Amino acid sequence: MMTTIDKDRHTYIAQSLLALLMLVATMLSAQTEATSNFVAKYSTAESATMAVTDPIVINSCENGTGDLTSHVASTQPSNLTITYHTGSPATDSNRISLQQAQNAPVGTYFVAFYSENYGGCYSPTSSPLYVPKCLQNACPEETVDLTNIADTSTNAGSGSLEWHTSPLPDRTSLVTNSQAVGTGVYWAVYYDEINDCYSPVSNAVAVNIEDCTPCTLPGATGSTNLPAYTGITTLKRGTDSTWVNTVNNSFLVLESTEKGFVPTRLTTSQRDAIGANTLEGMMIFNTTTQCLEFYDGTRWVCSERCN
């Protein structure tokens, strides 16, 4: 038999549990309301405070990365943090660090707001930011063949592989001749003609066309005429050692009527193996590209074109 004390004890426990459940429900409601308020307040991802200044983040061809932070407005609402993500919607799992955002490899990225005050949640993401793969023509070619790219980073599907000038492909953005494209940004995609639909696009590819016009600039002239003192000749000069002094403004004079000057001949692989010992002004003849090249301090440049 339950006594009055037992009844009171059970009543107290039931009331306590009910109060606890009501407290939890209130907290969850407040959390949901805070999240809803945050999403509602910052539902416009293209707001001025988080505008993507340029959807194409041109990367460095030397290291293949781009700085996402330089293409996003620098200000944001108080108590909010701009975050960078590899997918949409924004989550903790696809968030990348600020350092990673400043050295982002080729890919597609998104920007969002994050706030601890609104339940530790993210706003809707911005429009995509693209870090493209960098391609450049090899003179004398004045175009780039996109079909030579083996990895287009798009899912193979039914239909034919196409290249487009927009990440939102349609028939107006189709590249008609992908074997000879000029400067621009391109995306690969598979098109299913029967169902009139597209696969997801590949990573962006940025093409830069360098001028292949041979240099025809005149040589430098001046009033100072200092004679050369070092020379190599195959001509029979006899005891005449002053012939080299007749050539002004030269460090070294080579003279012949039957021989040519042959610089160091290397393949591209052999040239690249020089590595850290490469010096500004170094010159070789590249037997792979059949080009006289010099190192400008940053890269090897073919002497066939003006830079």
Side-chain angles (χ1 to χ4, degrees), residues 38-56:
F38 177 74
V39 173
K41 185 174 182 180
Y42 300 106
S43 60
T44 304
E46 295 299 325
S47 63
T49 54
M50 198 179 62
V52 173
T53 57
D54 186 352
I56 308 299

Side-chain angles (χ1 to χ4, degrees), residues 23-45:
L23 178 60
V24 171
T26 301
M27 293 174 63
L28 290 175
S29 177
Q31 175 74 19
T32 302
E33 182 179 0
T35 302
S36 300
N37 290 340
F38 177 74
V39 173
K41 185 174 182 180
Y42 300 106
S43 60
T44 304

